[in-house]
Amino acid sequence: MPVYKAPVEDTLFLLNDVFGIERYNNLPGFADASADVVEAVLGEGAKLCEEVLQPLNHSGDQEGCVRHSDGRVTTPKGFKEAHEAYAAGGWIGLAMDPEYGGQGLPYTLGAVMNEYASAANMAFAMYPGLTMGAMAALHVHGSDEQKRTYLPKMIEGKWSGTMNLTEPHCGTDLGLLKTKAVPNGDGSYGITGTKIFISAGEQDITENIIHLVLARIEGAPAGTKGISLFVVPRNKIGADGSVGANNGVSCGSIEHKMGIHGNATCVMNYEGAQGWLVGAENKGLNAMFVMMNEARLGVAIQGLAQSEVAYQNAVAYAKERLQGRALTGAKEPAKPADPIIVHPDVRRTLMSIRAFNEAARAFVLWNALKSDVAHRSGDAAERQAADDQLGLMTPVLKGVLTDVGFDNAVKAQQMFGGHGYIAETGVEQFVRDARIAMIYEGANGVQAMDLVGRKLGRDGGRAIMGFFNEVGGFLKDNAEDEALKPLLGPLQVSLGHLQQAAMWFMNNALARPDNAGAGATDFMHLLGLVSLGYMWAKMAKAAQEKLKAGADGAAERMNAKLVTARFFMERTLPETAVHLARITAGADTTMALSAEQF
């Protein structure tokens, strides 16, 4: 059966040594996150994920969710109790406003917990994860009354939250949305329509579900300019906060899908359901994007999480599976064969996954800290710079980490040979679960187009220039460090590839937008590779400093960091040249065939 151990030591190295979390103590919530507190929080979170969530992952996948004739849905055995334990530990409100019962700790710690939970049990982690996203949207755009009504119960874990965007005829193009909202005359609206692919839309783990629903008020403008956001509880709520009768919200069916079987993916029917406007009329996408951006970061973390847990199981198998002899002679002559981890190609595969995982974790935490700065800093310039980076990197995080995370789950499955195709080993579940992350919360091709079409040139290219300057500044500041030179040279070359690609778009995409469309995915991965390379350079610098300081018990781990950094620079980062070549090839052959020729 699969195993999982949360990478607490690696997380602490990143927070303490690479990013210096203590430097953020001027921000609200960080002063309470002392080194001891952070270590204790991560330790307790790891324990919950390893001992409560992970044992339910395989069984939850096998059992799945069941919709009953009355429209109610039951989740797999143990999920309700696990959710109660998750809520009781305060994990849902870890980074939420203390005014409503949250702990007010940094969002960064929430991102860490999201990784651990998603690696242990991705289908389960989606239930509290969606609730946290809904709370974020309500906290920013909800009225005081809405926040008082919903947030405390959601933080407590008594109520959950969802997001309802997609309809049978509209996914990416939300301007086609048909769900309607009719004023009731008392400040509320009657919501009528059908939403599909609603994760956690119905379940038996909380007493109420708070749906955030996009709908069009009668008479509103066509397209995305006429979309509003509504909060629609599944069950009516009394003046005293009690949960009453059904509110005209029902689950029509649950999808039979490739993976995440333990999460109920629902068709939701709204039949005059009473809802309340969140934010301003016709500004629903602005409000929902708070939740969507949180969700995209969460989905990026899912890609990393599945890559990590698949890697851990592949390594365990490679150490015990006996097949063949090492090319340089038997390593374990007393046994009938050597473990497959002696073979260079097996090691190449495992090292490629490991090098990605460690850099991707750093990439996530680097941006999570920027999110904390953007939302908590009192310095307007700091907030702006952090927000610029988040805007630029959110599609990169979502697209690259889920694309590569899925590829790595497949690579890990390959380590098992035929046994990896058999359900009982559990590794094929990681492949199936990882696949959805490339699709939902904006398919990865859409993320690439968002990056190239909107984010790259925004504000005169301020965000990408900020990134160029930061990486360039790091290279310049460390140019005389002899130990880092083998890493900085390849990073310098790849940064040059990225700059050339950005300039090529500037010169060739404005007059012919298809050039941008044809090269968008390559640019997304090119920027992702340079970002991961930058993370490795920062990690290597921190590792060298720990080695020089003679940190107790750190030598073996830090030397492994430096080896893995060199592997990434030698084996993975050179792919930036391929992406640049594809980008500069333009769109001619991509667009040449007529639709009938396909």
Side-chain angles (χ1 to χ4, degrees):
M1 293 297 290
V3 297
Y4 174 65
K5 182 172 177 57
V8 175
E9 276 191 338
D10 193 51
T11 305
L12 291 173
F13 166 69
L14 292 170
L15 292 177
N16 296 327
D17 300 295
V18 178
F19 298 120
I21 192 172
E22 75 283 350
R23 295 188 294 110
Y24 297 85
N25 281 350
N26 62 314
L27 301 181
F30 277 80
D32 297 325
S34 66
D36 289 344
V37 168
V38 169
E39 187 168 355
V41 167
L42 299 192
E44 286 302 308
K47 184 178 179 181
L48 175 68
C49 294
E50 293 164 2
E51 297 180 5
V52 177
L53 305 189
Q54 193 275 335
L56 298 174
N57 193 41
H58 186 67
S59 61
D61 177 68
Q62 296 292 300
E63 183 181 344
C65 297
V66 178
R67 179 186 177 277
H68 302 279
S69 58
D70 62 358
R72 299 304 297 269
V73 171
T74 52
T75 53
K77 183 180 179 181
F79 271 43
K80 182 177 176 63
E81 292 77 12
H83 189 270
E84 290 171 354
Y86 198 94
W91 300 108
I92 297 174
L94 187 71
M96 278 301 297
D97 191 339
E99 182 178 348
Y100 303 102
Q103 298 184 53
L105 289 171
Y107 165 76
T108 301
L109 296 186
V112 173
M113 186 59 179
N114 190 356
E115 184 202 334
Y116 296 175
S118 296
N121 193 327
M122 179 170 156
F124 170 87
M126 291 171 66
Y127 291 106
L130 284 159
T131 300
M132 287 183 255
M135 290 193 300
L138 287 170
H139 190 258
V140 173
H141 289 283
S143 66
D144 289 342
E145 182 181 359
Q146 288 169 347
K147 286 185 274 193
R148 287 194 302 270
T149 299
Y150 301 112
L151 294 183
K153 291 285 190 180
M154 295 170 82
I155 288 171
E156 191 181 356
K158 296 293 185 182
W159 300 350
S160 61
T162 72
M163 57 192 297
N164 287 236
L165 291 80
T166 306
E167 298 180 6
H169 54 280
C170 78
T172 301
D173 189 355
L174 288 170
L176 301 176
L177 182 145
K178 292 181 180 178
T179 297
K180 65 180 182 179
V182 179
N184 288 328
D186 60 358
S188 69
Y189 292 77
I191 310 297
T192 300
T194 296
K195 299 287 185 177
I196 64 170
F197 304 155
I198 307 306
S199 299
E202 179 58 60
Q203 36 77 4
D204 61 346
I205 60 177
T206 60
E207 65 181 20
N208 206 354
I209 304 174
I210 310 305
H211 298 289
L212 292 185
V213 184
L214 288 180
R216 194 183 303 281
I217 298 173
E218 284 190 323
T224 57
K225 293 182 179 179
I227 296 175
S228 299
L229 179 64
F230 299 87
V231 57
V232 186
R234 181 192 64 189
N235 290 76
K236 295 181 179 180
I237 300 169
D240 59 354
S242 59
V243 176
N246 183 273
N247 183 33
V249 180
S250 64
C251 170
S253 65
I254 57 174
E255 304 293 351
H256 300 279
K257 54 193 188 293
M258 179 177 176
I260 53 170
H261 292 157
N263 196 274
T265 305
C266 301
V267 174
M268 299 301 299
N269 296 319
Y270 293 86
E271 301 173 4
Q274 190 177 26
W276 289 265
L277 186 67
V278 178
E281 285 188 16
N282 304 327
K283 301 293 183 183
L285 284 184
N286 293 349
M288 186 61 93
F289 265 115
V290 173
M291 186 172 185
M292 289 176 70
N293 286 330
E294 286 243 343
R296 285 170 180 168
L297 287 170
V299 172
I301 291 169
Q302 289 178 341
L304 163 62
Q306 293 308 291
S307 183
E308 175 65 30
V309 70
Y311 166 78
Q312 290 188 20
N313 283 274
V315 168
Y317 187 78
K319 289 178 178 178
E320 66 183 29
R321 176 66 169 171
L322 304 179
Q323 293 285 285
R325 290 296 186 187
L327 297 176
T328 52
K331 300 302 181 186
E332 298 195 21
K335 295 181 179 179
D338 289 331
I340 63 172
I341 201 166
V342 304
H343 303 306
D345 196 59
V346 168
R347 285 173 166 257
R348 175 193 62 81
T349 300
L350 295 176
M351 284 293 288
S352 68
I353 305 174
R354 175 182 180 140
F356 167 79
N357 289 351
E358 294 184 19
R361 182 171 299 113
F363 191 27
V364 165
L365 295 183
W366 182 47
N367 283 282
L369 286 165
K370 294 295 184 184
S371 180
D372 276 318
V373 171
H375 292 101
R376 303 183 186 217
S377 176
D379 185 306
E382 277 189 354
R383 289 199 309 273
Q384 182 66 70
D387 193 61
D388 283 350
Q389 177 176 309
L390 279 172
L392 178 71
M393 291 301 181
T394 295
V396 180
L397 282 157
K398 198 281 182 182
V400 173
L401 267 60
T402 60
D403 273 354
V404 181
F406 173 75
D407 288 346
N408 287 345
V410 173
K411 289 177 182 176
Q413 183 188 33
Q414 190 75 10
M415 292 295 94
F416 286 75
H419 296 284
Y421 202 67
I422 305 301
E424 67 184 271
T425 62
V427 71
E428 57 84 37
Q429 183 188 345
F430 304 142
V431 175
R432 291 186 288 105
D433 286 354
R435 185 64 183 89
I436 185 58
M438 302 162 72
I439 299 172
Y440 61 14
E441 303 309 335
N444 286 356
V446 176
Q447 299 299 323
M449 285 302 301
D450 177 49
L451 172 65
V452 170
R454 294 177 63 242
K455 304 298 177 60
L456 189 59
R458 177 179 286 177
D459 299 312
R462 187 174 66 203
I464 192 68
M465 291 305 299
F467 179 73
F468 290 160
N469 291 336
E470 178 167 346
V471 180
F474 181 90
L475 290 167
K476 183 178 180 181
D477 291 344
N478 294 280
E480 302 306 315
D481 189 328
E482 290 298 324
L484 280 181
K485 280 185 177 179
L487 308 180
L488 300 187
L491 180 58
Q492 181 78 67
V493 170
S494 289
L495 177 63
H497 292 159
L498 179 63
Q499 291 168 325
Q500 290 175 61
M503 183 62 68
W504 192 89
F505 278 140
M506 187 179 299
N507 293 331
N508 295 278
L510 291 177
R512 192 178 176 199
D514 282 344
N515 281 328
T521 291
D522 279 293
F523 188 85
M524 179 179 73
H525 279 276
L526 175 49
L527 177 51
L529 281 168
V530 175
S531 299
L532 296 176
Y534 178 44
M535 293 299 98
W536 266 121
K538 291 176 72 69
M539 286 188 286
K541 181 177 175 64
Q544 285 183 176
E545 289 172 353
K546 282 186 78 73
L547 285 169
K548 289 176 185 175
D552 292 342
E556 186 175 359
R557 287 193 301 113
M558 294 304 103
N559 281 316
K561 282 282 182 198
L562 295 175
V563 170
T564 310
R566 291 199 301 273
F567 179 93
F568 183 88
M569 297 300 187
E570 293 171 1
R571 291 280 186 154
T572 302
L573 193 58
E575 293 171 11
T576 57
V578 177
H579 291 300
L580 176 62
R582 289 174 179 160
I583 289 166
T584 55
D588 289 349
T589 54
T590 301
M591 304 305 295
L593 298 183
S594 67
E596 290 72 25
Q597 289 177 286
F598 278 87

